[in-house]
Amino acid sequence: MSFSPGGQGAVTGSWEETARVWDCASGRELLRIKGRYGQLDAIVFSPDGRRIAIGSWDSTARIWDSRRGAALVSLAGHGMDVGALAFSADGRRIITGSGDGTARIWNAVTGEQELCLSGHSMDVNSVAFSPDGTRCLPGSWDAAARVWAAATGEELFRLSGHSMNLDAVAFSHDGSRFLTG
């Protein structure tokens, strides 16, 4: 689930293959997106609130118009479910994480895959871009996170030391620090 950038709206996804956009003040459902893509594993608003990205069990992510519910682009290339999504701060790119152990960076407008970041031995279930979009941080159930150059796919460093799955990653607002857990 995700709040819209201004906090007036929210989007939720379910294992019933349905996403819903809500008005936070009234609790009224504004939009329903129903697909046949398997359960929805991840859902997030774009930074401008005009798009919603949804990751699902059919190994794809899709980007939708948040006001009309129209499908805009499909991101296909993963070998298993897409359980993590994050837009870059400018909304031009999106990173996806999958049960296939990869994270992929896509052009969020055209759907073209730009990079495939591999090396994890288990599901990548958390992803983040740095605020300036130059780095990305996938976290995995293999108890490791890796920081990558988002333009080239060069692995900058690996973070290990967790004894269990990583379920969340985040950059600080200035991008100088990050959290894993």
Side-chain angles (χ1 to χ4, degrees), residues 7-152:
Q8 303 90 347
V11 63
T12 59
S14 74
W15 284 14
E16 302 168 332
E17 303 180 359
T18 304
R20 291 179 172 88
V21 178
W22 304 91
D23 178 276
C24 290
S26 68
R28 187 171 58 93
E29 182 180 305
L30 302 175
L31 178 67
R32 182 178 298 191
I33 299 170
K34 179 84 170 144
R36 298 199 191 308
Y37 315 114
Q39 69 188 40
L40 307 183
D41 273 357
I43 192 162
V44 66
F45 270 104
S46 64
D48 65 6
R50 294 181 182 166
R51 295 167 293 160
I52 297 167
I54 301 172
S56 62
W57 270 42
D58 72 348
S59 304
T60 67
R62 289 177 175 79
I63 299 176
W64 302 81
D65 181 292
S66 66
R67 292 178 179 93
R68 297 179 295 123
L72 301 175
V73 68
S74 179
L75 311 175
H78 282 292
M80 293 181 70
D81 61 299
V82 176
L85 303 161
F87 279 96
S88 60
D90 63 10
R92 291 189 285 189
R93 301 170 89 197
I94 187 168
I95 185 170
T96 56
S98 171
D100 66 9
T102 68
R104 296 171 190 253
I105 297 177
W106 313 81
N107 180 305
V109 177
T110 67
E112 179 183 343
Q113 182 180 302
E114 296 178 359
L115 294 170
C116 178
L117 310 173
S118 59
H120 287 288
S121 61
M122 295 182 74
D123 301 30
V124 173
N125 64 332
S126 54
V127 292
F129 272 107
S130 61
D132 64 4
T134 62
R135 292 165 291 142
C136 60
L137 176 63
S140 172
W141 282 1
D142 66 6
R146 298 163 189 249
V147 177
W148 303 82
T152 65

